[in-house]
Amino acid sequence: MSEAFTPSLPAADLADGAAAAAATLSRKRPRPGERRIQILRALAAMLEKPGADRVTTAALAARLEVSEAALYRHFASKAQMFEGLIDFIEESVFSLIDQILEKERVGTLQAAQIVAMLLHFSERNPGMTRVMVGDALVFENDRLQQRMNLFFDKVEATLSQSLRAGAHADSEGEDGSPAQASMLTAFVVGRMQRYARSGFRRAPSEYLDASLARIL
């Protein structure tokens, strides 16, 4: 930048330098939709702090060095910001589940891989984990917790469907796959809750293979 203002440079070089400076400044401005992503990333990062209090829009704005009004230009409410995180969770997880179902044909292996994927997703995304288990939603709109409840209902239904293909009827001729799916889902949620409440010290995938062997 300093060379662009050296008096001895030709006019053409001055013009090129000014154009480069303008391009640099314009790149600093978020592209359409980019600011929304920045807000969601900042919110997720703030949720990663063990024992973090309720995240306020004032604290979120301060982290991003913008005004609260700037946040509301991209989201109508804080609940909508959390909905953005839930959208990410749903899209990521169910996309990965679809990949597992497409590649693996054995039902019990599908279920095991889905459980492992969920726990590794939690381990890599501690802030998202607090949303998934509801810790971050306690003081927020009730519909957010309802969405996460539906999320795990869908996971359980998928596990049950996978297990049903290779299920063996019990002594009374009943299909045990719904019970197994329920246990697996409870196991996943329990591991996520322990991860969040341990300050992200106890990994969700701890003793995973041994645990799955007992359940399946």
Side-chain angles (χ1 to χ4, degrees):
M1 291 296 296
S2 60
E3 292 182 358
F5 293 95
T6 303
S8 59
L9 286 177
D13 290 341
L14 285 172
D16 290 342
T24 300
L25 289 173
S26 65
R27 281 196 297 271
K28 291 180 180 178
R29 297 174 183 172
R31 296 170 182 171
E34 188 176 349
R35 178 63 80 187
R36 286 176 60 90
I37 295 172
Q38 290 175 349
I39 292 169
L40 294 179
R41 284 177 176 168
L43 175 57
M46 292 178 76
L47 292 172
E48 290 181 6
K49 295 181 180 178
D53 294 328
R54 183 185 183 192
V55 175
T56 64
T57 52
L60 182 58
R63 182 183 180 92
L64 289 164
E65 298 182 342
V66 299
S67 66
E68 287 186 73
L71 299 181
Y72 290 118
R73 283 198 289 271
H74 301 279
F75 294 94
S77 63
K78 188 167 66 160
Q80 197 176 82
M81 297 177 199
F82 276 104
E83 285 182 326
L85 293 183
I86 295 174
D87 287 340
F88 171 81
I89 293 167
E90 291 177 340
E91 290 169 8
S92 300
V93 166
F94 290 118
S95 173
L96 292 170
I97 286 177
D98 286 342
Q99 291 177 35
I100 291 170
L101 298 179
E102 183 178 350
K103 293 178 181 178
E104 180 56 63
R105 297 302 178 186
V106 180
T108 52
L109 293 181
Q110 286 180 352
Q113 289 178 27
I114 289 170
V115 169
M117 177 273 293
L118 285 164
L119 295 181
H120 287 304
F121 177 87
S122 169
E123 201 166 320
R124 291 192 300 269
N125 299 280
M128 301 293 185
T129 298
R130 291 191 61 211
V131 175
M132 295 170 81
V133 299
D135 286 2
L137 306 178
V138 173
F139 300 107
E140 307 301 334
N141 193 295
D142 289 344
R143 74 174 183 271
L144 299 172
Q145 185 59 65
Q146 291 169 5
R147 277 193 65 179
M148 289 316 312
N149 293 342
L150 290 172
F151 167 86
F152 283 110
D153 286 347
K154 187 175 178 180
V155 167
E156 183 173 335
T158 302
L159 290 170
S160 182
Q161 185 176 358
S162 291
L163 292 166
R164 188 175 297 119
H168 296 286
D170 63 18
S171 58
E172 297 180 355
E174 294 181 354
D175 178 9
S177 57
Q180 274 188 309
S182 178
M183 285 190 291
L184 286 171
T185 305
F187 170 71
V188 167
V189 174
R191 283 299 183 89
M192 290 181 177
Q193 288 175 332
R194 187 185 68 172
Y195 183 45
R197 292 170 186 176
S198 70
F200 308 121
R201 291 188 298 273
R202 297 289 300 276
S205 59
E206 185 179 47
Y207 306 124
L208 177 57
D209 291 342
S211 300
L212 287 175
R214 289 181 177 273
I215 298 173
L216 293 172

PDB file of all heavy atoms in Angstrom, residues 115-148:
ATOM      1  N   VAL A 115     -25.102 -44.554  15.092  1.00  0.00           N
ATOM      2  CA  VAL A 115     -24.794 -44.166  16.468  1.00  0.00           C
ATOM      3  C   VAL A 115     -23.382 -43.581  16.559  1.00  0.00           C
ATOM      4  O   VAL A 115     -23.171 -42.529  17.176  1.00  0.00           O
ATOM      5  CB  VAL A 115     -24.937 -45.373  17.418  1.00  0.00           C
ATOM      6  CG1 VAL A 115     -24.360 -45.051  18.800  1.00  0.00           C
ATOM      7  CG2 VAL A 115     -26.404 -45.756  17.550  1.00  0.00           C
ATOM      8  N   ALA A 116     -22.424 -44.255  15.938  1.00  0.00           N
ATOM      9  CA  ALA A 116     -21.043 -43.763  15.969  1.00  0.00           C
ATOM     10  C   ALA A 116     -20.944 -42.387  15.315  1.00  0.00           C
ATOM     11  O   ALA A 116     -20.255 -41.494  15.832  1.00  0.00           O
ATOM     12  CB  ALA A 116     -20.131 -44.755  15.250  1.00  0.00           C
ATOM     13  N   MET A 117     -21.622 -42.205  14.198  1.00  0.00           N
ATOM     14  CA  MET A 117     -21.594 -40.917  13.500  1.00  0.00           C
ATOM     15  C   MET A 117     -22.155 -39.812  14.389  1.00  0.00           C
ATOM     16  O   MET A 117     -21.595 -38.716  14.493  1.00  0.00           O
ATOM     17  CB  MET A 117     -22.386 -41.015  12.201  1.00  0.00           C
ATOM     18  CG  MET A 117     -22.493 -39.718  11.411  1.00  0.00           C
ATOM     19  SD  MET A 117     -23.897 -38.671  11.930  1.00  0.00           S
ATOM     20  CE  MET A 117     -25.272 -39.703  11.421  1.00  0.00           C
ATOM     21  N   LEU A 118     -23.283 -40.074  15.058  1.00  0.00           N
ATOM     22  CA  LEU A 118     -23.905 -39.065  15.923  1.00  0.00           C
ATOM     23  C   LEU A 118     -22.974 -38.658  17.062  1.00  0.00           C
ATOM     24  O   LEU A 118     -22.838 -37.468  17.385  1.00  0.00           O
ATOM     25  CB  LEU A 118     -25.213 -39.612  16.492  1.00  0.00           C
ATOM     26  CG  LEU A 118     -26.399 -39.664  15.527  1.00  0.00           C
ATOM     27  CD1 LEU A 118     -27.493 -40.571  16.076  1.00  0.00           C
ATOM     28  CD2 LEU A 118     -26.946 -38.259  15.278  1.00  0.00           C
ATOM     29  N   LEU A 119     -22.310 -39.640  17.659  1.00  0.00           N
ATOM     30  CA  LEU A 119     -21.425 -39.336  18.786  1.00  0.00           C
ATOM     31  C   LEU A 119     -20.158 -38.618  18.335  1.00  0.00           C
ATOM     32  O   LEU A 119     -19.667 -37.720  19.031  1.00  0.00           O
ATOM     33  CB  LEU A 119     -21.085 -40.619  19.543  1.00  0.00           C
ATOM     34  CG  LEU A 119     -22.284 -41.299  20.218  1.00  0.00           C
ATOM     35  CD1 LEU A 119     -21.849 -42.542  20.971  1.00  0.00           C
ATOM     36  CD2 LEU A 119     -23.007 -40.341  21.153  1.00  0.00           C
ATOM     37  N   HIS A 120     -19.638 -38.971  17.175  1.00  0.00           N
ATOM     38  CA  HIS A 120     -18.465 -38.260  16.660  1.00  0.00           C
ATOM     39  C   HIS A 120     -18.849 -36.843  16.220  1.00  0.00           C
ATOM     40  O   HIS A 120     -18.056 -35.901  16.378  1.00  0.00           O
ATOM     41  CB  HIS A 120     -17.839 -39.036  15.506  1.00  0.00           C
ATOM     42  CG  HIS A 120     -17.115 -40.269  15.942  1.00  0.00           C
ATOM     43  ND1 HIS A 120     -16.096 -40.261  16.872  1.00  0.00           N
ATOM     44  CD2 HIS A 120     -17.275 -41.573  15.577  1.00  0.00           C
ATOM     45  CE1 HIS A 120     -15.645 -41.483  17.065  1.00  0.00           C
ATOM     46  NE2 HIS A 120     -16.350 -42.306  16.298  1.00  0.00           N
ATOM     47  N   PHE A 121     -20.050 -36.679  15.672  1.00  0.00           N
ATOM     48  CA  PHE A 121     -20.541 -35.343  15.319  1.00  0.00           C
ATOM     49  C   PHE A 121     -20.614 -34.480  16.579  1.00  0.00           C
ATOM     50  O   PHE A 121     -20.201 -33.316  16.586  1.00  0.00           O
ATOM     51  CB  PHE A 121     -21.912 -35.447  14.663  1.00  0.00           C
ATOM     52  CG  PHE A 121     -22.533 -34.114  14.314  1.00  0.00           C
ATOM     53  CD1 PHE A 121     -22.263 -33.502  13.096  1.00  0.00           C
ATOM     54  CD2 PHE A 121     -23.391 -33.464  15.193  1.00  0.00           C
ATOM     55  CE1 PHE A 121     -22.824 -32.269  12.777  1.00  0.00           C
ATOM     56  CE2 PHE A 121     -23.957 -32.235  14.889  1.00  0.00           C
ATOM     57  CZ  PHE A 121     -23.672 -31.640  13.667  1.00  0.00           C
ATOM     58  N   SER A 122     -21.134 -35.046  17.646  1.00  0.00           N
ATOM     59  CA  SER A 122     -21.217 -34.328  18.915  1.00  0.00           C
ATOM     60  C   SER A 122     -19.835 -33.944  19.423  1.00  0.00           C
ATOM     61  O   SER A 122     -19.607 -32.811  19.858  1.00  0.00           O
ATOM     62  CB  SER A 122     -21.926 -35.212  19.947  1.00  0.00           C
ATOM     63  OG  SER A 122     -21.820 -34.679  21.240  1.00  0.00           O
ATOM     64  N   GLU A 123     -18.908 -34.894  19.337  1.00  0.00           N
ATOM     65  CA  GLU A 123     -17.548 -34.662  19.835  1.00  0.00           C
ATOM     66  C   GLU A 123     -16.858 -33.525  19.091  1.00  0.00           C
ATOM     67  O   GLU A 123     -16.122 -32.735  19.686  1.00  0.00           O
ATOM     68  CB  GLU A 123     -16.750 -35.959  19.684  1.00  0.00           C
ATOM     69  CG  GLU A 123     -15.539 -36.059  20.573  1.00  0.00           C
ATOM     70  CD  GLU A 123     -14.998 -37.479  20.632  1.00  0.00           C
ATOM     71  OE1 GLU A 123     -15.803 -38.426  20.676  1.00  0.00           O
ATOM     72  OE2 GLU A 123     -13.767 -37.624  20.620  1.00  0.00           O
ATOM     73  N   ARG A 124     -17.115 -33.434  17.787  1.00  0.00           N
ATOM     74  CA  ARG A 124     -16.482 -32.381  16.970  1.00  0.00           C
ATOM     75  C   ARG A 124     -17.204 -31.043  17.089  1.00  0.00           C
ATOM     76  O   ARG A 124     -16.646 -30.012  16.721  1.00  0.00           O
ATOM     77  CB  ARG A 124     -16.455 -32.809  15.503  1.00  0.00           C
ATOM     78  CG  ARG A 124     -15.516 -33.967  15.201  1.00  0.00           C
ATOM     79  CD  ARG A 124     -15.322 -34.132  13.703  1.00  0.00           C
ATOM     80  NE  ARG A 124     -16.593 -34.389  13.029  1.00  0.00           N
ATOM     81  CZ  ARG A 124     -17.100 -35.598  12.796  1.00  0.00           C
ATOM     82  NH1 ARG A 124     -16.453 -36.678  13.222  1.00  0.00           N
ATOM     83  NH2 ARG A 124     -18.243 -35.753  12.164  1.00  0.00           N
ATOM     84  N   ASN A 125     -18.438 -31.059  17.583  1.00  0.00           N
ATOM     85  CA  ASN A 125     -19.246 -29.841  17.634  1.00  0.00           C
ATOM     86  C   ASN A 125     -19.849 -29.650  19.026  1.00  0.00           C
ATOM     87  O   ASN A 125     -21.070 -29.810  19.217  1.00  0.00           O
ATOM     88  CB  ASN A 125     -20.369 -29.907  16.586  1.00  0.00           C
ATOM     89  CG  ASN A 125     -19.854 -30.026  15.171  1.00  0.00           C
ATOM     90  OD1 ASN A 125     -19.449 -29.040  14.559  1.00  0.00           O
ATOM     91  ND2 ASN A 125     -19.858 -31.241  14.644  1.00  0.00           N
ATOM     92  N   PRO A 126     -19.027 -29.316  20.021  1.00  0.00           N
ATOM     93  CA  PRO A 126     -19.540 -29.195  21.390  1.00  0.00           C
ATOM     94  C   PRO A 126     -20.654 -28.162  21.545  1.00  0.00           C
ATOM     95  O   PRO A 126     -21.607 -28.383  22.298  1.00  0.00           O
ATOM     96  CB  PRO A 126     -18.301 -28.821  22.203  1.00  0.00           C
ATOM     97  CG  PRO A 126     -17.284 -28.349  21.208  1.00  0.00           C
ATOM     98  CD  PRO A 126     -17.574 -29.089  19.945  1.00  0.00           C
ATOM     99  N   GLY A 127     -20.542 -27.036  20.823  1.00  0.00           N
ATOM    100  CA  GLY A 127     -21.601 -26.036  20.902  1.00  0.00           C
ATOM    101  C   GLY A 127     -22.927 -26.576  20.391  1.00  0.00           C
ATOM    102  O   GLY A 127     -23.988 -26.331  20.978  1.00  0.00           O
ATOM    103  N   MET A 128     -22.874 -27.327  19.294  1.00  0.00           N
ATOM    104  CA  MET A 128     -24.078 -27.939  18.736  1.00  0.00           C
ATOM    105  C   MET A 128     -24.648 -28.989  19.698  1.00  0.00           C
ATOM    106  O   MET A 128     -25.864 -29.192  19.770  1.00  0.00           O
ATOM    107  CB  MET A 128     -23.768 -28.604  17.395  1.00  0.00           C
ATOM    108  CG  MET A 128     -23.220 -27.671  16.346  1.00  0.00           C
ATOM    109  SD  MET A 128     -24.439 -26.454  15.806  1.00  0.00           S
ATOM    110  CE  MET A 128     -23.516 -25.653  14.484  1.00  0.00           C
ATOM    111  N   THR A 129     -23.766 -29.652  20.435  1.00  0.00           N
ATOM    112  CA  THR A 129     -24.218 -30.658  21.399  1.00  0.00           C
ATOM    113  C   THR A 129     -25.129 -30.041  22.439  1.00  0.00           C
ATOM    114  O   THR A 129     -26.162 -30.621  22.807  1.00  0.00           O
ATOM    115  CB  THR A 129     -23.001 -31.316  22.084  1.00  0.00           C
ATOM    116  OG1 THR A 129     -22.216 -31.984  21.100  1.00  0.00           O
ATOM    117  CG2 THR A 129     -23.441 -32.312  23.147  1.00  0.00           C
ATOM    118  N   ARG A 130     -24.794 -28.859  22.903  1.00  0.00           N
ATOM    119  CA  ARG A 130     -25.637 -28.191  23.904  1.00  0.00           C
ATOM    120  C   ARG A 130     -27.006 -27.841  23.334  1.00  0.00           C
ATOM    121  O   ARG A 130     -27.994 -27.796  24.069  1.00  0.00           O
ATOM    122  CB  ARG A 130     -24.941 -26.927  24.423  1.00  0.00           C
ATOM    123  CG  ARG A 130     -23.700 -27.217  25.267  1.00  0.00           C
ATOM    124  CD  ARG A 130     -23.213 -25.974  25.971  1.00  0.00           C
ATOM    125  NE  ARG A 130     -24.222 -25.456  26.863  1.00  0.00           N
ATOM    126  CZ  ARG A 130     -24.373 -24.165  27.145  1.00  0.00           C
ATOM    127  NH1 ARG A 130     -23.565 -23.248  26.597  1.00  0.00           N
ATOM    128  NH2 ARG A 130     -25.308 -23.756  27.961  1.00  0.00           N
ATOM    129  N   VAL A 131     -27.072 -27.609  22.046  1.00  0.00           N
ATOM    130  CA  VAL A 131     -28.366 -27.380  21.392  1.00  0.00           C
ATOM    131  C   VAL A 131     -29.124 -28.702  21.291  1.00  0.00           C
ATOM    132  O   VAL A 131     -30.318 -28.776  21.602  1.00  0.00           O
ATOM    133  CB  VAL A 131     -28.171 -26.766  19.994  1.00  0.00           C
ATOM    134  CG1 VAL A 131     -29.518 -26.645  19.269  1.00  0.00           C
ATOM    135  CG2 VAL A 131     -27.506 -25.390  20.088  1.00  0.00           C
ATOM    136  N   MET A 132     -28.430 -29.765  20.881  1.00  0.00           N
ATOM    137  CA  MET A 132     -29.075 -31.056  20.661  1.00  0.00           C
ATOM    138  C   MET A 132     -29.690 -31.622  21.933  1.00  0.00           C
ATOM    139  O   MET A 132     -30.772 -32.202  21.904  1.00  0.00           O
ATOM    140  CB  MET A 132     -28.076 -32.039  20.052  1.00  0.00           C
ATOM    141  CG  MET A 132     -27.609 -31.631  18.662  1.00  0.00           C
ATOM    142  SD  MET A 132     -26.216 -32.601  18.041  1.00  0.00           S
ATOM    143  CE  MET A 132     -27.056 -34.062  17.448  1.00  0.00           C
ATOM    144  N   VAL A 133     -29.002 -31.465  23.059  1.00  0.00           N
ATOM    145  CA  VAL A 133     -29.535 -32.014  24.313  1.00  0.00           C
ATOM    146  C   VAL A 133     -30.405 -31.014  25.064  1.00  0.00           C
ATOM    147  O   VAL A 133     -30.956 -31.333  26.119  1.00  0.00           O
ATOM    148  CB  VAL A 133     -28.398 -32.510  25.226  1.00  0.00           C
ATOM    149  CG1 VAL A 133     -27.613 -33.604  24.538  1.00  0.00           C
ATOM    150  CG2 VAL A 133     -27.481 -31.369  25.665  1.00  0.00           C
ATOM    151  N   GLY A 134     -30.533 -29.802  24.531  1.00  0.00           N
ATOM    152  CA  GLY A 134     -31.452 -28.828  25.106  1.00  0.00           C
ATOM    153  C   GLY A 134     -30.867 -27.911  26.150  1.00  0.00           C
ATOM    154  O   GLY A 134     -31.555 -26.994  26.619  1.00  0.00           O
ATOM    155  N   ASP A 135     -29.600 -28.103  26.548  1.00  0.00           N
ATOM    156  CA  ASP A 135     -29.002 -27.235  27.574  1.00  0.00           C
ATOM    157  C   ASP A 135     -29.033 -25.764  27.168  1.00  0.00           C
ATOM    158  O   ASP A 135     -29.256 -24.884  27.999  1.00  0.00           O
ATOM    159  CB  ASP A 135     -27.550 -27.648  27.833  1.00  0.00           C
ATOM    160  CG  ASP A 135     -27.442 -28.937  28.631  1.00  0.00           C
ATOM    161  OD1 ASP A 135     -28.510 -29.513  28.948  1.00  0.00           O
ATOM    162  OD2 ASP A 135     -26.324 -29.371  28.935  1.00  0.00           O
ATOM    163  N   ALA A 136     -28.797 -25.514  25.878  1.00  0.00           N
ATOM    164  CA  ALA A 136     -28.732 -24.133  25.391  1.00  0.00           C
ATOM    165  C   ALA A 136     -30.115 -23.564  25.090  1.00  0.00           C
ATOM    166  O   ALA A 136     -30.238 -22.385  24.757  1.00  0.00           O
ATOM    167  CB  ALA A 136     -27.865 -24.066  24.130  1.00  0.00           C
ATOM    168  N   LEU A 137     -31.157 -24.404  25.211  1.00  0.00           N
ATOM    169  CA  LEU A 137     -32.504 -23.976  24.808  1.00  0.00           C
ATOM    170  C   LEU A 137     -33.439 -23.759  25.990  1.00  0.00           C
ATOM    171  O   LEU A 137     -34.614 -23.447  25.794  1.00  0.00           O
ATOM    172  CB  LEU A 137     -33.118 -25.039  23.878  1.00  0.00           C
ATOM    173  CG  LEU A 137     -32.283 -25.425  22.653  1.00  0.00           C
ATOM    174  CD1 LEU A 137     -32.994 -26.522  21.869  1.00  0.00           C
ATOM    175  CD2 LEU A 137     -32.016 -24.216  21.758  1.00  0.00           C
ATOM    176  N   VAL A 138     -32.907 -23.897  27.214  1.00  0.00           N
ATOM    177  CA  VAL A 138     -33.744 -23.854  28.403  1.00  0.00           C
ATOM    178  C   VAL A 138     -34.572 -22.578  28.490  1.00  0.00           C
ATOM    179  O   VAL A 138     -35.760 -22.613  28.809  1.00  0.00           O
ATOM    180  CB  VAL A 138     -32.883 -24.017  29.679  1.00  0.00           C
ATOM    181  CG1 VAL A 138     -33.731 -23.807  30.929  1.00  0.00           C
ATOM    182  CG2 VAL A 138     -32.240 -25.392  29.709  1.00  0.00           C
ATOM    183  N   PHE A 139     -33.951 -21.442  28.206  1.00  0.00           N
ATOM    184  CA  PHE A 139     -34.653 -20.165  28.337  1.00  0.00           C
ATOM    185  C   PHE A 139     -35.116 -19.611  26.988  1.00  0.00           C
ATOM    186  O   PHE A 139     -35.493 -18.439  26.896  1.00  0.00           O
ATOM    187  CB  PHE A 139     -33.742 -19.139  29.021  1.00  0.00           C
ATOM    188  CG  PHE A 139     -33.310 -19.556  30.394  1.00  0.00           C
ATOM    189  CD1 PHE A 139     -32.013 -19.980  30.636  1.00  0.00           C
ATOM    190  CD2 PHE A 139     -34.208 -19.544  31.453  1.00  0.00           C
ATOM    191  CE1 PHE A 139     -31.603 -20.382  31.903  1.00  0.00           C
ATOM    192  CE2 PHE A 139     -33.818 -19.944  32.723  1.00  0.00           C
ATOM    193  CZ  PHE A 139     -32.511 -20.359  32.950  1.00  0.00           C
ATOM    194  N   GLU A 140     -35.087 -20.454  25.967  1.00  0.00           N
ATOM    195  CA  GLU A 140     -35.460 -19.996  24.633  1.00  0.00           C
ATOM    196  C   GLU A 140     -36.883 -20.444  24.294  1.00  0.00           C
ATOM    197  O   GLU A 140     -37.576 -21.050  25.110  1.00  0.00           O
ATOM    198  CB  GLU A 140     -34.455 -20.521  23.602  1.00  0.00           C
ATOM    199  CG  GLU A 140     -32.995 -20.210  23.923  1.00  0.00           C
ATOM    200  CD  GLU A 140     -32.696 -18.723  24.054  1.00  0.00           C
ATOM    201  OE1 GLU A 140     -33.427 -17.905  23.454  1.00  0.00           O
ATOM    202  OE2 GLU A 140     -31.721 -18.373  24.760  1.00  0.00           O
ATOM    203  N   ASN A 141     -37.311 -20.159  23.067  1.00  0.00           N
ATOM    204  CA  ASN A 141     -38.661 -20.504  22.629  1.00  0.00           C
ATOM    205  C   ASN A 141     -38.887 -22.014  22.679  1.00  0.00           C
ATOM    206  O   ASN A 141     -38.028 -22.800  22.278  1.00  0.00           O
ATOM    207  CB  ASN A 141     -38.855 -19.976  21.198  1.00  0.00           C
ATOM    208  CG  ASN A 141     -40.311 -20.010  20.768  1.00  0.00           C
ATOM    209  OD1 ASN A 141     -40.893 -21.077  20.646  1.00  0.00           O
ATOM    210  ND2 ASN A 141     -40.884 -18.840  20.539  1.00  0.00           N
ATOM    211  N   ASP A 142     -40.069 -22.415  23.158  1.00  0.00           N
ATOM    212  CA  ASP A 142     -40.380 -23.840  23.312  1.00  0.00           C
ATOM    213  C   ASP A 142     -40.294 -24.612  22.005  1.00  0.00           C
ATOM    214  O   ASP A 142     -39.997 -25.816  22.005  1.00  0.00           O
ATOM    215  CB  ASP A 142     -41.782 -24.020  23.904  1.00  0.00           C
ATOM    216  CG  ASP A 142     -41.850 -23.625  25.370  1.00  0.00           C
ATOM    217  OD1 ASP A 142     -40.782 -23.508  26.005  1.00  0.00           O
ATOM    218  OD2 ASP A 142     -42.972 -23.428  25.879  1.00  0.00           O
ATOM    219  N   ARG A 143     -40.553 -23.947  20.893  1.00  0.00           N
ATOM    220  CA  ARG A 143     -40.568 -24.669  19.614  1.00  0.00           C
ATOM    221  C   ARG A 143     -39.180 -25.194  19.244  1.00  0.00           C
ATOM    222  O   ARG A 143     -39.066 -26.159  18.484  1.00  0.00           O
ATOM    223  CB  ARG A 143     -41.104 -23.782  18.489  1.00  0.00           C
ATOM    224  CG  ARG A 143     -40.166 -22.695  17.988  1.00  0.00           C
ATOM    225  CD  ARG A 143     -40.755 -21.988  16.768  1.00  0.00           C
ATOM    226  NE  ARG A 143     -39.851 -20.995  16.226  1.00  0.00           N
ATOM    227  CZ  ARG A 143     -39.809 -19.727  16.620  1.00  0.00           C
ATOM    228  NH1 ARG A 143     -40.631 -19.305  17.583  1.00  0.00           N
ATOM    229  NH2 ARG A 143     -38.956 -18.868  16.071  1.00  0.00           N
ATOM    230  N   LEU A 144     -38.132 -24.586  19.793  1.00  0.00           N
ATOM    231  CA  LEU A 144     -36.774 -25.051  19.512  1.00  0.00           C
ATOM    232  C   LEU A 144     -36.546 -26.429  20.125  1.00  0.00           C
ATOM    233  O   LEU A 144     -36.013 -27.328  19.475  1.00  0.00           O
ATOM    234  CB  LEU A 144     -35.747 -24.049  20.043  1.00  0.00           C
ATOM    235  CG  LEU A 144     -35.816 -22.640  19.442  1.00  0.00           C
ATOM    236  CD1 LEU A 144     -34.868 -21.705  20.193  1.00  0.00           C
ATOM    237  CD2 LEU A 144     -35.478 -22.659  17.965  1.00  0.00           C
ATOM    238  N   GLN A 145     -36.978 -26.602  21.382  1.00  0.00           N
ATOM    239  CA  GLN A 145     -36.849 -27.905  22.026  1.00  0.00           C
ATOM    240  C   GLN A 145     -37.728 -28.936  21.325  1.00  0.00           C
ATOM    241  O   GLN A 145     -37.342 -30.107  21.179  1.00  0.00           O
ATOM    242  CB  GLN A 145     -37.220 -27.810  23.498  1.00  0.00           C
ATOM    243  CG  GLN A 145     -37.003 -29.104  24.270  1.00  0.00           C
ATOM    244  CD  GLN A 145     -35.559 -29.573  24.213  1.00  0.00           C
ATOM    245  OE1 GLN A 145     -34.664 -28.901  24.727  1.00  0.00           O
ATOM    246  NE2 GLN A 145     -35.315 -30.720  23.592  1.00  0.00           N
ATOM    247  N   GLN A 146     -38.896 -28.514  20.869  1.00  0.00           N
ATOM    248  CA  GLN A 146     -39.777 -29.425  20.140  1.00  0.00           C
ATOM    249  C   GLN A 146     -39.115 -29.925  18.862  1.00  0.00           C
ATOM    250  O   GLN A 146     -39.251 -31.098  18.495  1.00  0.00           O
ATOM    251  CB  GLN A 146     -41.103 -28.727  19.828  1.00  0.00           C
ATOM    252  CG  GLN A 146     -41.965 -28.461  21.052  1.00  0.00           C
ATOM    253  CD  GLN A 146     -43.139 -27.543  20.769  1.00  0.00           C
ATOM    254  OE1 GLN A 146     -43.381 -27.163  19.621  1.00  0.00           O
ATOM    255  NE2 GLN A 146     -43.866 -27.165  21.803  1.00  0.00           N
ATOM    256  N   ARG A 147     -38.391 -29.043  18.189  1.00  0.00           N
ATOM    257  CA  ARG A 147     -37.688 -29.457  16.969  1.00  0.00           C
ATOM    258  C   ARG A 147     -36.613 -30.489  17.277  1.00  0.00           C
ATOM    259  O   ARG A 147     -36.443 -31.463  16.538  1.00  0.00           O
ATOM    260  CB  ARG A 147     -37.063 -28.246  16.262  1.00  0.00           C
ATOM    261  CG  ARG A 147     -38.024 -27.482  15.388  1.00  0.00           C
ATOM    262  CD  ARG A 147     -37.291 -26.503  14.494  1.00  0.00           C
ATOM    263  NE  ARG A 147     -36.416 -27.166  13.521  1.00  0.00           N
ATOM    264  CZ  ARG A 147     -35.686 -26.492  12.631  1.00  0.00           C
ATOM    265  NH1 ARG A 147     -35.723 -25.169  12.595  1.00  0.00           N
ATOM    266  NH2 ARG A 147     -34.915 -27.156  11.782  1.00  0.00           N
ATOM    267  N   MET A 148     -35.894 -30.300  18.381  1.00  0.00           N
ATOM    268  CA  MET A 148     -34.872 -31.277  18.732  1.00  0.00           C
ATOM    269  C   MET A 148     -35.502 -32.598  19.158  1.00  0.00           C
ATOM    270  O   MET A 148     -34.961 -33.673  18.881  1.00  0.00           O
ATOM    271  CB  MET A 148     -33.962 -30.747  19.837  1.00  0.00           C
ATOM    272  CG  MET A 148     -33.005 -29.629  19.411  1.00  0.00           C
ATOM    273  SD  MET A 148     -32.147 -29.870  17.825  1.00  0.00           S
ATOM    274  CE  MET A 148     -31.513 -31.534  17.904  1.00  0.00           C
TER     275      MET A 148
END
